[in-house]
Amino acid sequence: MSFQPVHPLSPLEIVTTAVPEDDRLWVPQAPDVWFRPLMLNTIQGGWCNLLKVRKAGVLSRHRHPGPVHGYVIKGKWYYLEHSWVATEGAYVFEPPGETHTLTVPDDVEEMITFFNISGCMYYVDENGHHTGFEDVFTKIDMCGAYYEKIGLGPDFVKQFVR
């Protein structure tokens, strides 16, 4: 069943299938890690995406200057710095400035989580030293390069940019 709008969408709205049937729409981020852009907000400097991980392991130690909201669609994950585990159906709020290390347990075949990220992701090592960052503009560049490489064209990402 596909979404049929009652009236035409404004150019500012986005309606898309979040978990796509076409696996090519998942942008590789790291080994066994992909993201699916849903909205890339150049005005406010944030983005919404799905994060998909196949296989267990530590993904990244990072912090955010702004708040992050997450909702676990499939699987589970946790932060090394906390005692809780985010399981399917869980909502997670990450306060600005907190450093955390996303980890997927060994017993999870696939994890998918929706994230709404404000600002950037500031990557740090175990001592808190800066090792890299991602923001809405690096995400757009990453998507454009990937979509061009697989034949969808670099402009394919524009449907998610606001």
Side-chain angles (χ1 to χ4, degrees):
M1 177 174 170
S2 64
F3 175 79
Q4 297 295 321
V6 176
H7 50 73
L9 299 175
S10 89
L12 299 178
E13 294 174 304
I14 299 173
V15 176
T16 191
T17 302
V19 179
E21 291 182 21
D22 185 349
D23 274 346
R24 296 177 309 152
L25 300 183
W26 291 94
V27 179
Q29 184 164 322
D32 299 317
V33 180
W34 300 264
F35 71 94
R36 161 71 162 136
L38 298 173
M39 190 271 302
L40 301 161
N41 188 333
T42 61
I43 304 301
Q44 295 175 320
W47 66 93
C48 294
N49 68 240
L50 298 180
L51 180 69
K52 177 168 70 172
V53 179
R54 290 193 176 141
K55 304 216 182 208
V58 174
L59 298 180
S60 65
R61 178 178 289 112
H62 62 276
R63 69 176 65 108
H64 306 273
V68 173
H69 303 268
Y71 177 78
V72 182
I73 296 169
K74 183 178 182 181
K76 62 185 174 183
W77 56 272
Y78 61 93
Y79 287 136
L80 292 178
E81 298 79 9
H82 295 286
S83 60
W84 51 262
V85 176
T87 58
E88 205 166 290
Y91 165 76
V92 176
F93 173 73
E94 302 174 11
E98 180 185 87
T99 298
H100 38 251
T101 310
L102 197 149
T103 305
V104 177
D106 291 336
D107 64 343
V108 175
E109 289 184 29
E110 182 176 77
M111 179 278 283
I112 299 176
T113 298
F114 168 82
F115 284 107
N116 180 346
I117 299 167
S118 302
C120 71
M121 289 184 62
Y122 185 82
Y123 295 104
V124 296
D125 64 17
E126 60 279 351
N127 298 312
H129 298 115
H130 175 256
T131 60
F133 80 98
E134 289 181 344
D135 65 12
V136 67
F137 300 103
T138 63
K139 287 295 205 189
I140 291 169
D141 291 346
M142 190 183 308
C143 291
Y146 170 71
Y147 291 140
E148 181 174 29
K149 179 181 174 183
I150 65 166
L152 294 174
D155 289 344
F156 187 81
V157 69
K158 287 184 179 180
Q159 66 187 296
F160 307 113
V161 177
R162 296 297 177 264

